[in-house]
């Protein structure tokens, strides 16, 4: 198996030279490289080696508690001791106060090294953001230090048996009891709902405080240990069996009058939860990029070494000498770099804070584009390895299995497509994206995209158009970003590779965007 290598040069290239990280107030390129290199060494040396054994062993439920695979507790301890959980937490609560762009670097590397472990630890920055935005000073002082030190891990509890994409169907109920609240009901599919790595778990729970649809939902902080030091009434009733991510416990949780505190205003739970979900969505987009980059790493190394067939001069050829294998490898590489550029563009816009409408527009686009890229790249990578791709030896089948969920959780991709078509494209976010594209080299695709937008504005029901509109949007955005990538190629250690993938990306966008426009009837 090819050991995991963090794609640090590629990450720093798009962040700095494509997405414009230096336009953000706190960007320090040298510090970013130094922190990225530290995390890369940790991920390569300690986190990634647990990926395969974790997948094989999986999590188990013993006496009502989740046991993580061997070695996960020790690596989490080292992760916490090195200060990674508090990277972007406020300094006055024990964090290091770094900008969110640092997370674009570490999250992608973490997911590439070990998606399962990243899932269980990755909700901490989102929880801190919710506390910073909606918590009282007292709540922040009580909860952030534990999250920043690694003593506490966070969960996000939305899904119920009857409430998946449609959160208005949530039935979990919260009842006020003096100064505290009590939550009762069932949540399913909760990532890291229990584990034995952190001392504490802080569940962020969306629960019903009135029967007024989504306006009756409020957000609660529900710690695993109550104020009096006893265990809170949150129990794991089972761990789900699933296709991949075997080292990430997906838990069914029963809340039985669990003690909780309200965060933010009553009835504003969905609004508060969106802060966490938007963070998680950006993270899931990076998971897709990480899988695509890993697929390229494994497949390109294998193709360079395996001898099959002959070159035109009759000498022995490697797989990489064959045009069709080159085509596949270039597609994987192109998808990884293009997806990463979309994510980084969104992260930079988020960090600058001066274009919230553009961020609203880019978040679902990044989620869909990058998760599709991750799945497709994993599948193509397996093709490059032939029969060995299907076997477990080179682990691409694990990448394939782990990547599959990214298009489903954090809002199924179809839901993001619908949101783009019904709310974002025709309103202020769509106008912000239009304005952004006008300053870009969009390979002539902008007029096509504008026609689609105008067409959608007139449609009585835009939902049947949603998939093709998203695809057209992704191709148009990618055309602009590959143009930026091509322009910046000389800043990368391997400019030839970068120019090649940018050309391929622009060619693909130019060919497929009109096909999706045609499907819309344009
Ligand atoms: C491994 C794993 C980890 C997870 N982690 C968490 C977690 O930590 N916390 C949490 O709260 N949840 C978690 N989930 C749940 C996940 O977010 C949901 O599975 C997801 O939101 C989809 O909900 P659903 O499964 O009920 O599918 P459904 O809502 O039933 O949707 C099924 C399909 O129908 C489509 N669809 C549904 N409604 C519409 C509509 N109105 N218009 C068009 N299409 C529609 C969807 O796009 C989807 O393709 C996790 C799930 C898994 C498998």
């Amino acid at each position: 198996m090819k050991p995991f290598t963090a794609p640090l040069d590629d990450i720093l290239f798009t962040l700095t030279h494509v997405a414009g990280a230096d336009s953000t107030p706190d960007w320090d390129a040298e510090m970013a490289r130094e922190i990225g290199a530290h995390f890369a060494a940790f991920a390569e040396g300690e986190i990634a080696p647990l990926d395969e054994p974790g997948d094989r062993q999986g999590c188990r439920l013993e006496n009502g508690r989740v046991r993580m695979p061997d070695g996960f507790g020790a690596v989490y301890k080292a992760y916490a001791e090195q200060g990674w959980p508090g990277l972007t937490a406020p300094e006055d609560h024990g964090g290091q106060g770094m900008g969110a762009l640092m997370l674009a670097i570490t999250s992608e590397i973490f997911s590439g090294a070990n998606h399962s472990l990243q899932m269980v630890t990755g909700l901490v920055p989102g929880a801190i953001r919710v506390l910073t935005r909606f918590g009282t000073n007292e709540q922040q002082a009580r909860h952030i230090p534990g999250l920043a030190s690694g003593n506490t891990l966070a969960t996000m509890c939305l899904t119920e048996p009857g409430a998946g994409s449609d959160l208005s169907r949530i039935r979990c109920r919260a009842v006020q009891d003096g100064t505290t609240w009590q939550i009762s009901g069932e949540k399913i599919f909760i990532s890291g709902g229990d584990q034995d790595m952190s001392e504490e778990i802080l569940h962020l729970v969306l629960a019903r405080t009135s029967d007024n649809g989504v306006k009756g939902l409020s957000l609660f902080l529900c710690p695993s240990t109550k104020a009096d030091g006893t265990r809170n009434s949150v129990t794991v009733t089972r761990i789900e069996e699933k296709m991949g991510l075997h080292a990430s416990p997906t838990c069914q949780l029963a809340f039985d009058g669990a003690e909780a505190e309200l965060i933010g205003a009553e009835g504003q739970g969905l609004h508060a939860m969106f802060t966490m979900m938007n963070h998680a969505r950006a993270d899931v987009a990076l998971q897709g990029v990480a899988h695509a980059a890993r697929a390229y790493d494994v497949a390109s190394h294998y193709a360079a070494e395996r001898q099959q067939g002959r070159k035109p001069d009759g000498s022995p050829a490697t797989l990489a000498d064959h045009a069709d294998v080159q085509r596949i490898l270039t597609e994987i590489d192109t998808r990884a770099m293009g997806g990463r550029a979309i994510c980084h563009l969104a992260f930079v816009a988020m960090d600058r804070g001066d274009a919230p409408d553009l961020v609203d527009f880019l978040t679902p686009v990044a989620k869909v584009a990058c998760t599709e890229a991750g799945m497709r790249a994993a599948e193509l990578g397996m093709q490059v390895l032939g029969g060995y791709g299907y076997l477990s030896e080179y682990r691409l089948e694990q990448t394939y299995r782990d990547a599959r969920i990214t298009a489903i959780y954090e809002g199924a991709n179809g839901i993001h497509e619908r949101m783009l078509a019904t709310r974002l494209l025709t309103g202020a976010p769509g106008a912000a994206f239009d304005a952004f594209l006008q300053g870009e080299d969009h390979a002539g695709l902008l007029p096509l995209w504008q026609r689609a937008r105008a067409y959608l504005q007139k449609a009585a029901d835009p939902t049947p158009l949603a998939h093709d509109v998203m695809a057209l949007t992704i191709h148009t955005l990618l055309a602009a970003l590959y143009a930026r990538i091509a322009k910046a190629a000389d800043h990368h250690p391997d400019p030839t590779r970068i120019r090649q993938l940018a050309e391929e990306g622009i060619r693909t966008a130019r060919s497929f965007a009109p096909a999706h426009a045609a499907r819309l009837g344009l």
Side-chain angles (χ1 to χ4, degrees):
M1 182 183 70
K2 160 85 181 58
F4 171 73
T5 307
L8 187 59
D9 282 335
D10 289 354
I11 294 173
L12 293 173
F13 168 71
T14 49
L15 205 47
T16 315
H17 301 292
V18 180
D22 48 8
S23 68
T24 62
D26 301 324
W27 179 248
D28 177 340
E30 246 171 56
M31 171 96 83
R33 179 167 286 280
E34 204 178 305
I35 289 176
H38 274 297
F39 192 73
F42 179 52
E44 289 167 359
E46 298 187 46
I47 299 176
L50 294 181
D51 197 34
E52 177 180 353
D55 179 60
R56 289 189 194 281
Q57 188 183 7
C59 303
R60 54 200 192 281
L61 192 59
E62 278 177 15
N63 303 321
R65 296 300 309 269
V66 172
R67 299 279 163 243
M68 295 293 284
D70 298 342
F72 275 54
V75 88
Y76 178 70
K77 192 162 174 272
Y79 173 79
E81 280 169 1
Q82 290 174 28
W84 297 111
L87 191 64
T88 56
E91 282 172 284
D92 47 359
H93 290 304
Q96 295 165 53
M98 299 269 174
L101 295 188
M102 289 299 168
L103 286 179
I105 302 172
T106 55
S107 278
E108 184 193 324
I109 295 174
F110 202 155
S111 295
N114 191 327
H115 182 168
S116 283
L117 183 59
Q118 192 275 339
M119 289 274 298
V120 186
T121 59
L123 291 170
V124 164
I128 291 176
R129 202 174 292 176
V130 170
L131 278 155
T132 314
R133 251 187 99 185
F134 299 100
T136 60
N137 288 343
E138 195 272 328
Q139 283 175 323
Q140 292 174 13
R142 202 150 34 84
H143 293 293
I144 297 180
L147 292 163
S149 71
N151 184 64
T152 307
L153 280 170
T155 72
M156 187 169 74
C157 302
L158 287 83
T159 309
E160 298 180 8
S165 303
D166 183 1
L167 295 173
S168 70
R169 294 169 61 92
I170 282 180
R171 294 177 57 183
C172 220
R173 198 160 270 282
V175 179
Q176 194 157 17
D177 177 17
T179 52
T180 63
W181 292 74
Q182 292 190 339
I183 298 182
S184 297
E186 192 187 9
K187 293 283 178 187
I188 60 165
F189 297 173
I190 305 306
S191 299
D194 188 32
Q195 33 76 19
D196 55 1
M197 301 190 303
S198 65
E199 288 288 314
E200 296 289 332
I201 301 175
L202 184 64
H203 302 286
L204 275 82
V205 186
L206 206 52
R208 188 159 289 294
T209 43
S210 82
D211 289 324
N212 191 13
V214 287
K215 291 191 184 130
L217 297 174
S218 306
L219 185 60
F220 292 90
L221 302 171
C222 182
S224 53
T225 306
K226 290 199 279 192
D228 66 7
T230 59
R231 247 191 110 61
N232 210 349
S233 320
V234 185
T235 40
V236 183
T237 43
R238 74 171 198 215
I239 310 182
E240 303 298 346
E241 294 285 329
K242 50 197 192 299
M243 174 181 180
L245 292 184
H246 293 140
S248 169
T250 308
C251 301
Q252 186 166 313
L253 296 181
F255 293 78
D256 187 12
E259 191 175 291
E261 53 186 301
L262 182 68
I263 177 162
E266 197 179 329
Q268 296 286 310
L270 206 55
H271 176 60
M273 196 52 136
F274 265 122
T275 301
M276 187 146 182
M277 280 150 77
N278 276 340
H279 181 277
R281 280 166 186 173
D283 232 27
V284 172
L286 286 174
Q287 287 166 0
V289 174
H291 287 305
R294 175 74 180 139
Y296 181 72
D297 189 26
V298 174
S300 59
H301 276 84
Y302 184 87
E305 282 171 11
R306 180 165 171 84
Q307 286 195 356
Q308 289 293 289
R310 307 232 152 234
K311 294 186 198 173
D313 66 6
S315 61
T318 62
L319 295 181
D321 290 320
H322 300 298
D324 192 53
V325 175
Q326 289 164 7
R327 169 189 67 80
I328 300 177
L329 288 173
T330 306
E331 179 175 344
I332 302 175
D333 200 16
T334 305
R335 283 179 179 261
M337 196 65 99
R340 185 182 288 116
I342 298 180
C343 285
H344 288 178
L345 185 73
F347 267 89
V348 166
M350 219 182 303
D351 210 50
R352 285 166 54 109
D354 56 358
D357 286 329
L358 184 62
V359 175
D360 280 353
F361 189 90
L362 290 176
T363 304
V365 175
K367 200 278 179 180
V368 174
C370 298
T371 57
E372 297 284 340
M375 293 188 305
R376 175 80 177 138
E379 191 192 10
L380 288 171
M382 286 168 65
Q383 194 68 20
V384 170
L385 268 67
Y388 283 109
Y390 194 68
L391 268 53
S392 23
E393 188 175 341
Y394 288 87
R395 306 310 297 162
L396 271 182
E397 57 80 43
Q398 185 187 347
T399 304
Y400 183 76
R401 288 184 284 109
D402 288 355
R404 186 60 188 87
I405 184 59
T406 59
I408 297 172
Y409 65 21
E410 272 323 312
N413 283 6
I415 300 297
H416 290 287
E417 292 176 345
R418 195 187 55 159
M419 186 164 61
L420 190 86
T422 54
R423 280 192 278 155
L424 298 176
L425 199 96
T426 54
F433 185 62
D434 194 334
F436 163 79
L437 282 177
Q438 287 183 34
E440 298 292 318
D441 177 359
H442 43 71
L445 295 177
L446 177 58
L448 204 56
W449 183 82
Q450 285 172 330
R451 271 171 49 210
R453 183 163 169 249
Y455 181 64
L456 218 73
Q457 262 156 347
K458 284 192 236 121
D461 176 11
T463 57
L465 312 173
H467 175 72
D468 287 299
V469 162
M470 175 63 92
L472 174 56
T473 301
I474 290 171
H475 284 304
T476 309
L477 174 58
L478 281 174
L481 291 176
Y482 289 128
R484 285 192 184 192
I485 288 171
K487 245 192 199 157
D490 285 331
H491 291 286
H492 192 280
D494 186 354
T496 310
R497 176 189 142 223
I498 298 300
R499 279 198 193 90
Q500 188 190 6
L501 72 83
E503 270 169 33
E504 169 64 16
I506 292 169
R507 214 176 9 248
T508 304
R510 268 212 192 112
S511 345
F512 285 96
H516 288 287
R519 280 175 52 85
L520 292 170
L522 296 176

